[in-house]
């Protein structure tokens, strides 16, 4: 049993063996809960994130019993994800992590901020812990999915006049893509501030495939893009395709590009023989939800953020 509930605070990248302990803890929780406690960004930041703060609670035998990661990269709010190993739950570790994370956010030298915590899968224990800490739901993220065995891929979508689609070229298209992405997601708390390093980290992942990253241009000017991702099932989860990001420049919105690119992304993933396509969207993004519903997607899971 853990000897104490106050975590150690570590700023900046973790060493390789500590990062491996965090990944193992996250896997044990995912096996137990049926949903992964840490999302892609905190996992990518374990050994590289300059703005990440790690909170580590160890048991008496030195093993990692609980972990939280805070992201202090956004100007106003600090985001966090936290997880307690299944065997050490209900002994105050979650409460201790949450209190410590709030303290780190409130005392940040750059700017004091309030904390927002993601709970993947909206599990009862997370709701109870948040309620215990006086936090309530401030944001809801939906996973939507499309079963390709039931929905055969529609005919190639029609593109607006003069628009052509081609694959992303690494080494050439990064800056144009980042500019349109930042414009398309200007009001989005995470996606809109994706840095050159964040993009490079994703392009270095084994799943990255430029053939599944499509750019829509008119006269050589980038208007929109769809980026897909293949989950091959090697990590024990079900194989699925993901519509990872669809972004349309504000000047090109309303032309039907979002729906057309979603269709092209789905067709690409279907051509890879995947049974299912998933995507994530904010529940209150009605335009996006309408676009995906029209393409046949239905809500399949919910993540909530407490604040
Ligand atoms: C949510 C989670 C972090 C809680 O960790 P924990 O160490 O078990 O929580 P604590 O022991 O500190 O619990 C503090 C309070 O939260 C509430 N709580 C936590 N788990 C609960 C459960 N399963 N059922 C009911 N209440 C619960 C209780 O009020 C508890 O106080 P009490 O034990 O005095 O009654 C843990 O279940 C977990 O890792 N879940 C998967 C990841 C996740 O959902 N993270 C998001 C967290 S917002």
């Amino acid at each position: 049993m853990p000897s104490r509930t106050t975590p150690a605070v570590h700023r900046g990248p973790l060493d390789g063996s500590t990062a491996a302990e965090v990944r193992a803890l996250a896997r044990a929780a995912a096996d137990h809960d049926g949903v992964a406690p840490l999302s892609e960004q905190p996992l990518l930041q374990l050994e590289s994130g300059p703005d990440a703060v790690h909170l580590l609670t160890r048991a008496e035998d030195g093993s990692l019993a609980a972990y939280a990661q805070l992201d202090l990269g956004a100007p106003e709010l600090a985001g966090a994800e936290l997880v307690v190993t299944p065997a050490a739950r209900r002994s105050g570790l979650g409460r201790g992590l949450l209190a410590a994370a709030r303290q780190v956010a409130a005392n940040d030298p750059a700017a004091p901020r309030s904390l927002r915590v993601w709970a993947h899968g909206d599990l009862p224990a997370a709701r109870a812990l948040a309620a215990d800490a006086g936090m309530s739901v401030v944001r809801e993220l939906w996973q939507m999915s499309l079963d390709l065995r039931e929905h055969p891929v529609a005919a190639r979508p029609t593109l607006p006049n003069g628009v052509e689609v081609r694959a992303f070229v690494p080494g050439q298209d990064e800056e144009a893509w980042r500019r349109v992405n930042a414009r398309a997601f200007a009001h989005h708390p995470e996606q809109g501030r994706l840095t050159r390093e964040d993009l490079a980290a994703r392009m270095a992942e084994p799943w990255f495939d430029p053939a599944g990253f499509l750019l829509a241009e008119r006269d050589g000017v980038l208007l929109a893009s769809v980026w897909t991702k293949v989950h091959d099932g090697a990590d024990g989860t079900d194989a699925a395709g993901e519509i990872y990001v669809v972004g349309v420049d504000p000047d090109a919105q309303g032309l039907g590009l979002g729906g057309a690119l979603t269709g092209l992304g789905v067709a690409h993933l279907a051509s890879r023989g995947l049974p299912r396509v998933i995507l994530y969207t904010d529940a209150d993004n009605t335009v996006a939800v309408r676009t995906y519903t029209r393409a046949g997607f239905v809500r399949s899971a919910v993540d909530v953020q407490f604040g």
Side-chain angles (χ1 to χ4, degrees), residues 29 33 35-38 66 81-86 88-98 117-120 122-133 306:
D33 300 323
V35 53
L38 303 179
E81 299 195 3
L82 57 106
V83 55
V84 174
T85 199
R89 291 191 184 166
R90 291 312 289 274
S91 51
L93 297 192
R95 186 189 278 133
L97 273 180
L98 197 50
V117 185
W118 276 113
H120 301 289
D122 194 11
L123 300 169
R127 282 214 171 239
L129 174 65
D132 175 80
F306 296 101

Side-chain angles (χ1 to χ4, degrees), residues 178-191:
R178 277 207 327 114
R179 185 165 29 79
V180 171
N181 179 70
R183 284 169 54 83
F185 290 98
H187 303 293
H188 191 283
E190 296 96 22
Q191 185 64 29

